[in-house]
mmCIF file of all heavy atoms in Angstrom:
data_model
loop_
_atom_site.group_PDB
_atom_site.id
_atom_site.type_symbol
_atom_site.label_atom_id
_atom_site.label_comp_id
_atom_site.label_asym_id
_atom_site.label_seq_id
_atom_site.Cartn_x
_atom_site.Cartn_y
_atom_site.Cartn_z
ATOM 1 N N ASN A 192 -9.705 13.638 -25.460
ATOM 2 C CA ASN A 192 -8.852 12.712 -26.222
ATOM 3 C C ASN A 192 -9.598 11.728 -27.045
ATOM 4 O O ASN A 192 -9.025 10.795 -27.592
ATOM 5 C CB ASN A 192 -7.894 12.000 -25.182
ATOM 6 C CG ASN A 192 -6.811 12.943 -24.639
ATOM 7 O OD1 ASN A 192 -6.446 13.901 -25.336
ATOM 8 N ND2 ASN A 192 -6.432 12.715 -23.417
ATOM 9 N N GLY A 193 -10.892 11.950 -27.202
ATOM 10 C CA GLY A 193 -11.687 11.150 -28.154
ATOM 11 C C GLY A 193 -12.317 9.887 -27.686
ATOM 12 O O GLY A 193 -12.759 9.051 -28.443
ATOM 13 N N PHE A 194 -12.394 9.702 -26.352
ATOM 14 C CA PHE A 194 -12.984 8.472 -25.812
ATOM 15 C C PHE A 194 -14.546 8.713 -25.633
ATOM 16 O O PHE A 194 -14.973 9.793 -25.297
ATOM 17 C CB PHE A 194 -12.372 8.127 -24.468
ATOM 18 C CG PHE A 194 -10.948 7.664 -24.610
ATOM 19 C CD1 PHE A 194 -9.898 8.596 -24.457
ATOM 20 C CD2 PHE A 194 -10.641 6.365 -25.007
ATOM 21 C CE1 PHE A 194 -8.594 8.171 -24.616
ATOM 22 C CE2 PHE A 194 -9.311 6.007 -25.228
ATOM 23 C CZ PHE A 194 -8.300 6.920 -24.967
ATOM 24 N N GLY A 195 -15.269 7.650 -25.807
ATOM 25 C CA GLY A 195 -16.684 7.645 -25.596
ATOM 26 C C GLY A 195 -17.147 6.783 -24.457
ATOM 27 O O GLY A 195 -18.285 6.928 -23.978
ATOM 28 N N ALA A 196 -16.264 5.949 -23.970
ATOM 29 C CA ALA A 196 -16.559 5.065 -22.815
ATOM 30 C C ALA A 196 -15.218 4.546 -22.242
ATOM 31 O O ALA A 196 -14.243 4.493 -22.971
ATOM 32 C CB ALA A 196 -17.449 3.830 -23.189
ATOM 33 N N ILE A 197 -15.259 4.183 -21.014
ATOM 34 C CA ILE A 197 -14.038 3.670 -20.340
ATOM 35 C C ILE A 197 -14.383 2.394 -19.654
ATOM 36 O O ILE A 197 -15.376 2.279 -18.883
ATOM 37 C CB ILE A 197 -13.449 4.685 -19.294
ATOM 38 C CG1 ILE A 197 -13.165 5.977 -20.018
ATOM 39 C CG2 ILE A 197 -12.275 4.128 -18.563
ATOM 40 C CD1 ILE A 197 -12.806 7.151 -19.005
ATOM 41 N N ILE A 198 -13.575 1.355 -19.866
ATOM 42 C CA ILE A 198 -13.705 0.066 -19.160
ATOM 43 C C ILE A 198 -12.484 0.016 -18.161
ATOM 44 O O ILE A 198 -11.351 0.295 -18.533
ATOM 45 C CB ILE A 198 -13.614 -1.101 -20.130
ATOM 46 C CG1 ILE A 198 -14.727 -1.103 -21.129
ATOM 47 C CG2 ILE A 198 -13.515 -2.438 -19.389
ATOM 48 C CD1 ILE A 198 -14.572 -2.109 -22.276
ATOM 49 N N ALA A 199 -12.833 -0.266 -16.920
ATOM 50 C CA ALA A 199 -11.794 -0.322 -15.872
ATOM 51 C C ALA A 199 -11.860 -1.671 -15.181
ATOM 52 O O ALA A 199 -12.901 -2.024 -14.561
ATOM 53 C CB ALA A 199 -11.975 0.783 -14.898
ATOM 54 N N ALA A 200 -10.795 -2.422 -15.206
ATOM 55 C CA ALA A 200 -10.753 -3.705 -14.574
ATOM 56 C C ALA A 200 -9.718 -3.778 -13.447
ATOM 57 O O ALA A 200 -8.560 -3.280 -13.563
ATOM 58 C CB ALA A 200 -10.295 -4.776 -15.631
ATOM 59 N N ALA A 201 -10.219 -4.296 -12.329
ATOM 60 C CA ALA A 201 -9.329 -4.408 -11.146
ATOM 61 C C ALA A 201 -9.850 -5.438 -10.198
ATOM 62 O O ALA A 201 -11.030 -5.747 -10.133
ATOM 63 C CB ALA A 201 -9.296 -3.058 -10.376
ATOM 64 N N GLY A 202 -8.933 -6.035 -9.442
ATOM 65 C CA GLY A 202 -9.279 -7.045 -8.433
ATOM 66 C C GLY A 202 -9.138 -6.484 -7.047
ATOM 67 O O GLY A 202 -8.761 -5.335 -6.914
ATOM 68 N N LYS A 203 -9.372 -7.342 -6.095
ATOM 69 C CA LYS A 203 -9.242 -7.020 -4.683
ATOM 70 C C LYS A 203 -10.073 -5.814 -4.317
ATOM 71 O O LYS A 203 -11.277 -5.815 -4.494
ATOM 72 C CB LYS A 203 -7.806 -6.952 -4.249
ATOM 73 C CG LYS A 203 -7.123 -8.246 -4.498
ATOM 74 C CD LYS A 203 -5.812 -8.409 -3.756
ATOM 75 C CE LYS A 203 -5.237 -9.753 -4.093
ATOM 76 N NZ LYS A 203 -4.224 -10.134 -3.148
ATOM 77 N N ALA A 204 -9.453 -4.721 -3.878
ATOM 78 C CA ALA A 204 -10.208 -3.556 -3.408
ATOM 79 C C ALA A 204 -10.912 -2.879 -4.608
ATOM 80 O O ALA A 204 -11.986 -2.220 -4.403
ATOM 81 C CB ALA A 204 -9.291 -2.521 -2.765
ATOM 82 N N ALA A 205 -10.456 -3.052 -5.808
ATOM 83 C CA ALA A 205 -11.099 -2.630 -7.077
ATOM 84 C C ALA A 205 -11.596 -1.205 -7.108
ATOM 85 O O ALA A 205 -12.711 -0.937 -7.562
ATOM 86 C CB ALA A 205 -12.244 -3.589 -7.382
ATOM 87 N N HIS A 206 -10.805 -0.322 -6.652
ATOM 88 C CA HIS A 206 -11.240 1.096 -6.639
ATOM 89 C C HIS A 206 -11.008 1.810 -7.986
ATOM 90 O O HIS A 206 -11.312 2.980 -8.115
ATOM 91 C CB HIS A 206 -10.458 1.921 -5.557
ATOM 92 C CG HIS A 206 -10.914 1.415 -4.155
ATOM 93 N ND1 HIS A 206 -9.951 1.120 -3.207
ATOM 94 C CD2 HIS A 206 -12.097 1.176 -3.620
ATOM 95 C CE1 HIS A 206 -10.608 0.685 -2.131
ATOM 96 N NE2 HIS A 206 -11.873 0.740 -2.301
ATOM 97 N N LEU A 207 -10.362 1.169 -8.914
ATOM 98 C CA LEU A 207 -10.053 1.823 -10.183
ATOM 99 C C LEU A 207 -11.239 2.407 -10.933
ATOM 100 O O LEU A 207 -11.231 3.549 -11.312
ATOM 101 C CB LEU A 207 -9.302 0.827 -11.100
ATOM 102 C CG LEU A 207 -8.815 1.397 -12.413
ATOM 103 C CD1 LEU A 207 -7.842 2.574 -12.197
ATOM 104 C CD2 LEU A 207 -8.157 0.338 -13.271
ATOM 105 N N ALA A 208 -12.266 1.630 -11.107
ATOM 106 C CA ALA A 208 -13.444 2.153 -11.829
ATOM 107 C C ALA A 208 -14.029 3.352 -11.128
ATOM 108 O O ALA A 208 -14.422 4.359 -11.755
ATOM 109 C CB ALA A 208 -14.534 1.026 -11.991
ATOM 110 N N GLY A 209 -14.152 3.326 -9.790
ATOM 111 C CA GLY A 209 -14.688 4.390 -9.066
ATOM 112 C C GLY A 209 -13.805 5.638 -9.120
ATOM 113 O O GLY A 209 -14.293 6.780 -9.229
ATOM 114 N N ALA A 210 -12.473 5.423 -9.039
ATOM 115 C CA ALA A 210 -11.519 6.525 -9.178
ATOM 116 C C ALA A 210 -11.586 7.214 -10.521
ATOM 117 O O ALA A 210 -11.578 8.419 -10.623
ATOM 118 C CB ALA A 210 -10.090 6.026 -8.897
ATOM 119 N N ILE A 211 -11.772 6.354 -11.553
ATOM 120 C CA ILE A 211 -11.917 6.915 -12.938
ATOM 121 C C ILE A 211 -13.260 7.667 -13.051
ATOM 122 O O ILE A 211 -13.339 8.795 -13.483
ATOM 123 C CB ILE A 211 -11.842 5.796 -13.994
ATOM 124 C CG1 ILE A 211 -10.491 5.094 -13.955
ATOM 125 C CG2 ILE A 211 -12.260 6.330 -15.332
ATOM 126 C CD1 ILE A 211 -9.324 5.960 -14.484
ATOM 127 N N ALA A 212 -14.346 7.054 -12.552
ATOM 128 C CA ALA A 212 -15.671 7.643 -12.620
ATOM 129 C C ALA A 212 -15.751 8.989 -11.866
ATOM 130 O O ALA A 212 -16.503 9.839 -12.279
ATOM 131 C CB ALA A 212 -16.719 6.677 -12.127
ATOM 132 N N ALA A 213 -15.006 9.094 -10.796
ATOM 133 C CA ALA A 213 -15.025 10.333 -10.006
ATOM 134 C C ALA A 213 -14.429 11.495 -10.778
ATOM 135 O O ALA A 213 -14.663 12.645 -10.417
ATOM 136 C CB ALA A 213 -14.252 10.122 -8.698
ATOM 137 N N ASN A 214 -13.670 11.203 -11.827
ATOM 138 C CA ASN A 214 -12.977 12.246 -12.573
ATOM 139 C C ASN A 214 -13.421 12.415 -14.003
ATOM 140 O O ASN A 214 -12.695 13.101 -14.802
ATOM 141 C CB ASN A 214 -11.473 11.977 -12.487
ATOM 142 C CG ASN A 214 -10.940 12.223 -11.073
ATOM 143 O OD1 ASN A 214 -10.889 13.372 -10.617
ATOM 144 N ND2 ASN A 214 -10.627 11.145 -10.398
ATOM 145 N N THR A 215 -14.557 11.801 -14.420
ATOM 146 C CA THR A 215 -15.056 11.978 -15.745
ATOM 147 C C THR A 215 -16.562 11.798 -15.737
ATOM 148 O O THR A 215 -17.144 11.171 -14.778
ATOM 149 C CB THR A 215 -14.463 10.973 -16.746
ATOM 150 O OG1 THR A 215 -14.921 11.315 -18.054
ATOM 151 C CG2 THR A 215 -14.781 9.560 -16.419
ATOM 152 N N THR A 216 -17.235 12.402 -16.729
ATOM 153 C CA THR A 216 -18.686 12.155 -16.886
ATOM 154 C C THR A 216 -18.921 11.189 -17.982
ATOM 155 O O THR A 216 -20.055 10.896 -18.334
ATOM 156 C CB THR A 216 -19.425 13.483 -17.094
ATOM 157 O OG1 THR A 216 -18.892 14.103 -18.249
ATOM 158 C CG2 THR A 216 -19.368 14.361 -15.885
ATOM 159 N N LEU A 217 -17.838 10.601 -18.594
ATOM 160 C CA LEU A 217 -18.025 9.542 -19.556
ATOM 161 C C LEU A 217 -18.557 8.273 -18.885
ATOM 162 O O LEU A 217 -18.333 8.100 -17.684
ATOM 163 C CB LEU A 217 -16.733 9.234 -20.257
ATOM 164 C CG LEU A 217 -16.162 10.239 -21.226
ATOM 165 C CD1 LEU A 217 -14.814 9.792 -21.683
ATOM 166 C CD2 LEU A 217 -17.113 10.453 -22.395
ATOM 167 N N PRO A 218 -19.242 7.426 -19.589
ATOM 168 C CA PRO A 218 -19.702 6.144 -18.981
ATOM 169 C C PRO A 218 -18.492 5.277 -18.606
ATOM 170 O O PRO A 218 -17.552 5.169 -19.446
ATOM 171 C CB PRO A 218 -20.489 5.441 -20.089
ATOM 172 C CG PRO A 218 -20.777 6.495 -21.133
ATOM 173 C CD PRO A 218 -19.750 7.574 -20.991
ATOM 174 N N VAL A 219 -18.507 4.785 -17.431
ATOM 175 C CA VAL A 219 -17.414 3.899 -16.936
ATOM 176 C C VAL A 219 -18.005 2.512 -16.645
ATOM 177 O O VAL A 219 -19.036 2.410 -15.987
ATOM 178 C CB VAL A 219 -16.744 4.491 -15.671
ATOM 179 C CG1 VAL A 219 -15.729 3.482 -15.114
ATOM 180 C CG2 VAL A 219 -16.082 5.829 -15.954
ATOM 181 N N ILE A 220 -17.359 1.521 -17.156
ATOM 182 C CA ILE A 220 -17.867 0.102 -16.997
ATOM 183 C C ILE A 220 -16.780 -0.564 -16.184
ATOM 184 O O ILE A 220 -15.583 -0.690 -16.609
ATOM 185 C CB ILE A 220 -18.038 -0.576 -18.358
ATOM 186 C CG1 ILE A 220 -18.994 0.267 -19.225
ATOM 187 C CG2 ILE A 220 -18.514 -1.958 -18.169
ATOM 188 C CD1 ILE A 220 -18.961 -0.086 -20.660
ATOM 189 N N GLY A 221 -17.133 -1.096 -15.006
ATOM 190 C CA GLY A 221 -16.179 -1.774 -14.172
ATOM 191 C C GLY A 221 -16.194 -3.298 -14.351
ATOM 192 O O GLY A 221 -17.253 -3.869 -14.498
ATOM 193 N N ILE A 222 -15.027 -3.868 -14.410
ATOM 194 C CA ILE A 222 -14.900 -5.323 -14.465
ATOM 195 C C ILE A 222 -14.219 -5.740 -13.167
ATOM 196 O O ILE A 222 -13.037 -5.528 -12.947
ATOM 197 C CB ILE A 222 -14.008 -5.804 -15.656
ATOM 198 C CG1 ILE A 222 -14.466 -5.343 -17.015
ATOM 199 C CG2 ILE A 222 -13.917 -7.337 -15.641
ATOM 200 C CD1 ILE A 222 -13.502 -5.607 -18.141
ATOM 201 N N PRO A 223 -15.003 -6.359 -12.272
ATOM 202 C CA PRO A 223 -14.350 -6.918 -11.074
ATOM 203 C C PRO A 223 -13.564 -8.173 -11.467
ATOM 204 O O PRO A 223 -14.085 -9.062 -12.155
ATOM 205 C CB PRO A 223 -15.525 -7.298 -10.164
ATOM 206 C CG PRO A 223 -16.781 -7.167 -11.011
ATOM 207 C CD PRO A 223 -16.457 -6.535 -12.318
ATOM 208 N N VAL A 224 -12.281 -8.220 -11.096
ATOM 209 C CA VAL A 224 -11.412 -9.324 -11.453
ATOM 210 C C VAL A 224 -11.314 -10.247 -10.266
ATOM 211 O O VAL A 224 -10.988 -9.914 -9.152
ATOM 212 C CB VAL A 224 -10.061 -8.775 -11.947
ATOM 213 C CG1 VAL A 224 -9.076 -9.939 -12.270
ATOM 214 C CG2 VAL A 224 -10.209 -7.888 -13.129
ATOM 215 N N LYS A 225 -11.439 -11.567 -10.597
ATOM 216 C CA LYS A 225 -11.273 -12.626 -9.590
ATOM 217 C C LYS A 225 -9.832 -12.596 -9.053
ATOM 218 O O LYS A 225 -8.904 -12.553 -9.798
ATOM 219 C CB LYS A 225 -11.599 -13.937 -10.222
ATOM 220 C CG LYS A 225 -11.608 -15.092 -9.227
ATOM 221 C CD LYS A 225 -11.988 -16.411 -9.917
ATOM 222 C CE LYS A 225 -11.922 -17.571 -8.928
ATOM 223 N NZ LYS A 225 -12.422 -18.789 -9.538
ATOM 224 N N SER A 226 -9.806 -12.686 -7.744
ATOM 225 C CA SER A 226 -8.470 -12.733 -7.089
ATOM 226 C C SER A 226 -8.384 -14.065 -6.275
ATOM 227 O O SER A 226 -9.350 -14.742 -6.124
ATOM 228 C CB SER A 226 -8.276 -11.530 -6.118
ATOM 229 O OG SER A 226 -9.219 -11.576 -5.077
#
């Protein structure tokens, strides 16, 4: 779909970036969000 990188932001358990990274070889950048 034309993406070159993915930014994933989540708080608390913050599994979003890991869940995304587990399903792509694109670079994933995680933003831990203050809760």
Side-chain angles (χ1 to χ4, degrees):
N192 289 329
F194 293 96
I197 300 172
I198 297 171
K203 300 197 178 195
H206 294 131
L207 183 59
I211 296 293
N214 289 290
T215 186
T216 55
L217 289 175
V219 175
I220 304 160
I222 305 170
V224 176
K225 184 177 179 176
S226 64

